[in-house]
Amino acid sequence: MHETCTTDLYEYEPTSATRERAVSGSPEGQDRAPRTTLPVIPDRPAAVPERPAALPDRATPLPDRATVLPDRAPARADRAPALSDHPPALPDPPAPLPDPSGLSDHPSGLPDRPPEPSDYRTAFHAARLAMAIVGRDGVVLDANPALGTLLSTDPALLTARDAADLADLREDARTWSEYREVLLGRRGRLLCTRRLKRPGGHSLWAEITVEPVPDSCNVLLSVTDISDRRDLQARLRHLQMHDPVTRLPNRNLFFDKLASALEAASYDPGSGRRIGLCYLDLDGFKAINDTLGHRVGDRLLSAVAQRLVECAAPDGHLVARLGGDEFALLVEDSEGTEQLCELARTVLAALQRPFDVSGQRLSVSASIGVVERPAAGIHTTWLMQAADTTLYWAKEDGKARWTLFDPERNAHRMTRQALASTLRPAVEREEFVLDYQPLVGLVDGAVRGVEALVRWNHPRFGRLAPNRFISLAEDSGAIVPLGRWVLETACRQARAWQLAHPRAPIFVSVNVAVRQVWDSDLVADVGAILARTGLPPNLLQLELTESAVMGSAGRPSQALQQLSDMGIAIAIDDFGTGYSNLAYLSRLPVSTLKLDGSFVRGFRAEEHPNPADETIVEALVDLAHRLGLSVTAEGVESAEQAERLGRIGCDTGQGWFYSRAVAPDRISALLAG
């Protein structure tokens, strides 16, 4: 069994190779690895006892380059032994250089010892962030110099003060409640913005943060001066919320104020708060802009804005420019309709005074829509729609005036809008029907023809007369498909009557809107319909209003001439109600004049006849006959009227005296009788 050496760190069993190197007497350090320092071997007895049996069979070998003496080598007394039977003891590791960070020896990168409380206190007092340590009772325990500088006071004077008073945390109930929750440990953080007063009357905007201090019963109050940021935000918001031309609040700010006022009223519906709005638009401002330029226009707008502010200033009403030449005056706590009407009158009077702009004297007027309602339950969208509608009424009624919102008129407008939006689908759904009113000879009483009158069987509003929807159809363009349907339906019915009564066929008269002439090929439509229905052209009469044919030139005149060349009769409806230019009677292929019922109405009182009415009608009839035209009197309601009209020379009459507009089967029965 080999002899072994033990050290304090591990066991070593020499090998044959190490013995050979020891016997060979290698020079000192020859077989050492570079930068290896031989350890100093202490004196020990030459004889080493055998390894105890309890030791393991294997010892941790030293590297081969370690140098040892042969067994039982005698020791020299004249010098300390350089070698021994023991393997060399490992040298103590060199002392490490000090780590200035103090973190290198810790496995997690943290120092082995926690920072001293004095370190935190030093950082607290040296920090540029204003801070204070606050106890759970809300009293300031310590304040750093930065907080004293921020509040322009000695930080020592802040100690023992109530932190809530220091940071103005009692301003509103919500902030105060959240602050108390942080003190009690029920909330992790409070963040708010406050305006803090400083000595000398100055103030600053600060961002306040309150949060618990870890492993402590205290909380940390930190205060950040955000006055510069707040001022910048205020300037940016002012630019965003104000009109650059007039310096008035713009559309965004106006709607913010309006929404806030309505929202406040909704929280207290029993308060009876009311709200009012004057929505105005300058009349003729576009002409000033176009002729004098936008620079003058902008200066005029600024002058108008100044006068509006003067009108609203006594009561503190908000004046805003909503865009273009539109302005609004908001009355948040209205005292009633009369207050809004008086404000509108004041504004109109102020704007009627001339303006001196860029050396020019300008005059403008305004149309104003006035709305005044209870604030509770009113939505911003509805209020603005009502104001816009009322402003439209003011312009429609003649401009330079104010108009008060009328719920009934608005309901009528809404009904018209609903009808206009469903006109075209109604044609496709065949919701329209035709009634026919007889045209009767005033001399013999025979039925000469019928006028087709359209009715709308509306699923919601019931049966509607033409005056409820024809103007809507003309405005929207739906008159073209509707007129085409009316024409074909009437021609098909007239063809049926012709086949049923071939000896005395009657003609059918159909109203045509001037838009049908412009927006469609009326001549082609009529020709195609006559071809499909088989109705002879001489049994069709087309009626156009006097205003539609007055001054007709170009396409309308050519279309009427082509229709007349086809054998179709052309009648002028409501003749005499407008400015009559009799010259067109010689230029256009007109065959019949239909006198408006207003002329016939004067024939009703037999006891007190109006000689002027009879003179006018007699002159018109004589003129028509001299031009080769026939005359039909509308609105005949009595036998006396029919008799007098016949005596004057009218050819046919139409009215309730003969028959109302009836269904086609009633006309068939009348013809059969």
Side-chain angles (χ1 to χ4, degrees), residues 88-269:
L90 293 177
D92 293 333
L97 295 175
D99 184 2
S101 67
L103 303 178
S104 60
D105 293 335
H106 197 281
S108 63
L110 297 176
D112 288 330
R113 68 171 179 82
E116 297 294 333
S118 60
D119 297 338
Y120 291 112
R121 183 169 297 278
T122 300
F124 176 77
H125 285 279
R128 300 179 64 181
L129 176 64
M131 295 182 290
I133 301 297
V134 181
R136 291 292 182 177
D137 57 355
V139 175
V140 176
L141 303 178
D142 193 6
N144 68 350
L147 182 60
T149 302
L150 185 67
L151 299 180
S152 300
T153 186
D154 186 350
L157 299 178
L158 301 176
T159 305
R161 288 188 57 181
D162 192 325
D165 295 337
L166 190 68
D168 198 18
L169 299 179
R170 289 189 174 91
E171 181 179 352
D172 61 84
R174 179 178 178 181
T175 301
W176 171 248
S177 175
E178 293 179 356
Y179 171 64
R180 298 296 300 171
E181 292 290 314
V182 175
L183 291 180
L184 296 174
R186 300 173 184 170
R187 184 182 179 89
R189 192 187 191 206
L190 166 66
L191 179 63
C192 62
T193 301
R194 286 291 178 269
R195 189 169 189 172
L196 305 182
K197 295 181 179 179
R198 305 171 67 180
H202 300 289
S203 62
L204 62 90
W205 282 100
E207 187 176 77
I208 310 295
T209 304
V210 182
E211 50 192 344
V213 176
D215 302 326
S216 172
C217 296
N218 303 324
V219 297
L220 178 66
L221 170 71
S222 57
V223 184
T224 304
D225 186 356
I226 60 170
S227 300
D228 292 341
R229 185 175 71 188
R230 186 87 176 192
D231 291 343
L232 177 60
Q233 290 175 345
R235 289 195 297 270
L236 292 177
R237 178 172 174 80
H238 186 275
L239 292 175
Q240 181 185 8
M241 294 296 183
H242 287 76
D243 174 55
V245 175
T246 63
R247 310 296 183 185
L248 292 177
N250 62 9
R251 190 180 189 89
N252 295 331
L253 183 54
F254 170 79
F255 278 105
D256 282 351
K257 293 287 187 180
L258 177 59
S260 298
L262 295 178
E263 184 179 3
S266 66
Y267 285 124
D268 188 12

Side-chain angles (χ1 to χ4, degrees), residues 433-437 450 453 463 489-490 492-494 496-497 501 506 661-671:
V433 296
L434 291 184
D435 285 343
Y436 300 89
Q437 188 172 31
V450 293
L453 300 174
R463 192 177 181 88
T489 303
R492 184 172 289 107
Q493 182 60 60
W497 286 326
H501 307 280
I506 61 173
V662 295
D665 56 346
R666 296 283 300 276
I667 298 296
S668 298
L670 184 63
L671 295 177

Side-chain angles (χ1 to χ4, degrees), residues 271-603:
S271 63
R273 294 180 60 182
R274 302 178 70 86
I275 194 165
L277 178 62
C278 290
Y279 186 29
L280 65 94
D281 176 273
L282 299 182
D283 302 323
F285 176 75
K286 185 178 183 302
I288 295 176
N289 239 2
D290 293 342
T291 57
L292 302 180
H294 290 275
R295 182 185 298 271
V296 175
D298 288 347
R299 291 179 179 176
L300 177 60
L301 290 175
S302 297
V304 169
Q306 182 61 35
R307 291 194 185 178
L308 294 179
V309 170
E310 292 172 358
C311 294
D315 296 316
H317 304 316
L318 175 70
V319 182
R321 182 191 179 195
L322 302 188
D325 57 343
E326 296 179 357
F327 297 84
L329 288 82
L330 178 63
V331 181
E332 294 192 25
D333 292 307
S334 171
E335 299 175 0
T337 302
E338 183 56 35
Q339 181 187 12
L340 269 296
C341 295
E342 180 61 29
L343 179 60
R345 284 190 286 265
T346 302
V347 169
L348 279 181
L351 296 183
Q352 285 176 354
R353 302 196 308 268
F355 293 87
D356 292 324
V357 178
S358 299
Q360 302 189 57
R361 198 169 182 82
L362 303 177
S363 296
V364 295
S365 62
S367 300
I368 307 177
V370 179
V371 182
E372 201 277 340
R373 310 294 292 172
I378 296 295
H379 193 272
T380 303
T381 303
W382 182 91
L383 186 65
M384 292 307 300
Q385 286 179 344
D388 185 66
T389 299
T390 313
L391 173 60
Y392 172 77
W393 294 344
K395 286 189 171 295
E396 190 178 43
D397 293 343
K399 301 181 180 180
R401 67 190 65 234
W402 61 270
T403 302
L404 185 63
F405 178 74
D406 182 2
E408 293 185 3
R409 185 174 180 179
N410 185 61
H412 179 67
R413 184 189 69 86
M414 296 297 292
T415 300
R416 286 176 58 85
Q417 181 62 33
L419 294 177
S421 62
T422 56
L423 262 170
R424 289 181 181 271
V427 176
E428 300 173 359
R429 292 192 297 264
E430 298 182 353
E431 295 179 359
F432 296 93
V433 296
L434 291 184
D435 285 343
Y436 300 89
Q437 188 172 31
L439 301 174
V440 181
L442 290 174
V443 177
D444 54 9
V447 177
R448 305 288 179 83
V450 293
E451 180 181 356
L453 300 174
V454 64
R455 306 287 190 262
W456 186 359
N457 289 329
H458 197 279
R460 176 183 174 186
F461 302 111
R463 192 177 181 88
L464 303 179
N467 61 344
R468 294 289 302 276
F469 59 87
I470 288 298
S471 61
L472 297 177
E474 292 177 345
D475 293 339
S476 64
I479 192 66
V480 174
L482 177 60
R484 191 179 293 117
W485 177 87
V486 169
L487 183 61
E488 182 159 357
T489 303
C491 288
R492 184 172 289 107
Q493 182 60 60
R495 175 60 175 168
W497 286 326
Q498 180 199 15
L499 295 177
H501 307 280
R503 293 185 178 181
I506 61 173
F507 67 89
V508 62
S509 186
V510 180
N511 290 277
V512 176
V514 68
R515 190 161 183 174
Q516 290 178 257
V517 182
W518 283 106
D519 294 357
S520 66
D521 192 343
L522 182 61
V523 177
D525 289 344
V526 172
I529 289 173
L530 292 178
R532 284 196 298 269
T533 60
L535 182 69
N538 65 315
L539 296 183
L540 174 63
Q541 176 176 274
L542 299 180
E543 296 186 17
L544 288 87
T545 61
E546 184 177 9
S547 58
V549 299
M550 265 188 56
S552 293
R555 184 173 180 179
S557 177
Q558 296 173 3
L560 294 179
Q561 188 61 55
Q562 292 175 9
L563 291 171
S564 177
D565 293 342
M566 293 169 58
I568 298 171
I570 305 297
I572 304 300
D573 194 16
D574 300 330
F575 182 79
T577 56
Y579 175 76
S580 299
N581 183 359
L582 300 181
Y584 70 82
L585 294 179
S586 61
R587 295 198 307 266
L588 298 178
V590 178
S591 58
T592 301
L593 297 181
K594 298 188 71 174
L595 300 181
D596 186 73
S598 59
F599 293 107
V600 179
R601 199 169 297 121
F603 287 72

Side-chain angles (χ1 to χ4, degrees), residues 4-7 10-14 39 41 62 66-68 84-90:
T4 60
C5 298
T6 62
T7 67
Y10 49 78
E11 297 177 359
Y12 175 72
E13 182 178 0
I41 307 299
L62 284 174
T67 305
V68 297
S84 73
D85 294 334
H86 271 333
L90 293 177

Side-chain angles (χ1 to χ4, degrees), residues 599-615 640 644 647-648:
F599 293 107
V600 179
R601 199 169 297 121
F603 287 72
R604 186 178 305 172
E606 184 65 29
E607 298 179 359
H608 303 284
N610 187 347
D613 290 337
E614 186 168 346
T615 301
E640 291 80 10
R644 291 178 62 189
R647 187 172 63 246
I648 289 175

